[in-house]
Amino acid sequence: MSKKTFTNEEIEILSKNKYVKRFSAKGITYTDEFKRIFISEDGKGKFPRSIFEECGFDINILGKKRIEMAAYRWRTAYDKEGVLGLQDTRKENSGRPREKELSIEEKYERLKAQISLLKAENELLKKLDMLERRIMRKYGIICPIRKANPYRRIMKATKEHTTMPNLLNRNFKQNIPGKVLLTDITYLFYGNGKKAYLSTIKDGSTNEILIYNRSDKLTLDIATDMIYKLMNEGQVKLTTDAFIHSDQGAHYTSPKFQSLVKGCRLGQSMSRRGNCWDNAPQ
């Protein structure tokens, strides 16, 4: 506590400031409004002295020590209880936090204040949400939310899906057409929020798209049907050691897909997990 006492002349000057609630020769009580102003301006990086001066206080009358102590008390109270911590709940006090136990009536009043504050915050959030929606509608802003891949959930649930080693090891250009077959699935967005899927097989040596398959569903068929097309079209000539290389997507780790690839006498290779460069050309 500051040991400085106020003279009668200084008390008269302080009494004219609207942010002074009570005062005596030894102490001063500030209004709750001023405390809120102080916390707000303090959060913007202003110095305590500047805040007091802007609110009409004479720094020479208050003294540097008194200002520093008040700033420390209010910051501590605000960090602990928010705006409620800045309220003056004790009669004839100087704004310091009370230490004695609250009465039932005082606890009830504090709870009422907290509920009112929460209601006000809730109403503000509702208004901000409505404003955000109006702005998005006005300017045609869409925020798409990507849904979880159902096949990935199945893979985790059954644990039947297995990965394959990375046989390709980024050796994409082997100058042997029909050997390195790169595959992946692309998302196609069109129209008013519509979506389609494109699955392709690309020759790693010639960069030619050998087979493709379109679908409006991300089911396993989009990958398996493409393998059937690859084997049934006579125009595609494959080497005896040809192999499919993909990422570790749920389609390619599926037992059904892997069995089909093996049945077609094709090898299978996969990128390392989370490493897109292992399948970069596709």
Side-chain angles (χ1 to χ4, degrees), residues 43-104:
K44 298 176 184 178
K46 286 188 178 181
F47 292 106
R49 174 171 179 164
S50 300
I51 301 172
F52 273 79
E53 285 180 331
E54 290 175 1
C55 291
F57 288 100
D58 190 326
I59 304 303
N60 295 323
I61 293 177
L62 294 178
K64 181 180 178 182
K65 186 68 175 179
R66 191 184 299 274
I67 293 174
E68 290 177 350
M69 293 177 65
Y72 173 77
R73 289 198 308 272
W74 299 341
R75 287 169 183 158
T76 303
Y78 182 76
D79 290 340
K80 186 177 180 181
E81 299 184 75
V83 177
L84 293 175
L86 303 176
Q87 292 182 355
D88 182 10
T89 56
R90 233 174 72 176
K91 292 183 178 180
E92 304 301 331
N93 75 344
S94 58
R96 296 176 181 81
R98 66 162 73 205
E99 296 180 358
K100 74 172 187 178
E101 184 69 22
L102 296 175
S103 66
I104 297 297

Side-chain angles (χ1 to χ4, degrees), residues 11-129:
I11 289 176
E12 184 178 353
I13 295 174
L14 289 172
S15 65
K16 296 178 181 178
N17 191 304
K18 64 178 182 178
Y19 296 119
V20 174
K21 188 174 183 179
R22 286 185 295 272
F23 50 86
S24 66
K26 294 183 178 181
I28 178 173
T29 299
Y30 306 92
T31 63
D32 294 344
E33 181 186 2
F34 176 63
K35 297 173 192 175
R36 290 193 293 268
I37 292 174
F38 177 88
I39 290 297
S40 175
E41 296 301 309
D42 183 66
K44 298 176 184 178
K46 286 188 178 181
F47 292 106
R49 174 171 179 164
S50 300
I51 301 172
F52 273 79
E53 285 180 331
E54 290 175 1
C55 291
F57 288 100
D58 190 326
I59 304 303
N60 295 323
I61 293 177
L62 294 178
K64 181 180 178 182
K65 186 68 175 179
R66 191 184 299 274
I67 293 174
E68 290 177 350
M69 293 177 65
Y72 173 77
R73 289 198 308 272
W74 299 341
R75 287 169 183 158
T76 303
Y78 182 76
D79 290 340
K80 186 177 180 181
E81 299 184 75
V83 177
L84 293 175
L86 303 176
Q87 292 182 355
D88 182 10
T89 56
R90 233 174 72 176
K91 292 183 178 180
E92 304 301 331
N93 75 344
S94 58
R96 296 176 181 81
R98 66 162 73 205
E99 296 180 358
K100 74 172 187 178
E101 184 69 22
L102 296 175
S103 66
I104 297 297
E105 292 77 11
E106 289 172 329
K107 289 180 178 179
Y108 176 71
E109 291 299 324
R110 175 164 290 194
L111 287 174
K112 281 179 60 178
Q114 290 176 339
I115 292 172
S116 298
L117 181 62
L118 290 173
K119 285 182 177 180
E121 290 179 349
N122 189 42
E123 290 299 320
L124 177 60
L125 290 174
K126 287 181 179 179
K127 291 179 180 180
L128 291 175
D129 182 62

Side-chain angles (χ1 to χ4, degrees), residues 245-262:
H245 180 79
S246 67
D247 58 21
Q248 294 186 18
H251 295 78
Y252 310 119
T253 59
S254 164
K256 184 176 179 180
F257 180 85
Q258 293 182 353
S259 177
L260 175 62
V261 170
K262 186 176 181 180

Side-chain angles (χ1 to χ4, degrees), residues 213-232:
N213 188 25
R214 291 191 307 267
S215 176
D216 59 351
K217 297 179 181 178
L218 196 59
T219 57
L220 184 60
D221 297 342
I222 193 174
T224 55
D225 288 350
M226 190 176 55
I227 300 297
Y228 288 125
K229 288 183 179 181
L230 176 69
M231 303 310 297
N232 292 331

Side-chain angles (χ1 to χ4, degrees), residues 123 132 137 150 202-203 238 253 256-257 259 267 282:
E123 290 299 320
E132 181 181 358
R137 283 197 299 267
K202 178 181 180 180
D203 191 309
L238 304 177
T253 59
K256 184 176 179 180
F257 180 85
S259 177
Q282 178 64 348

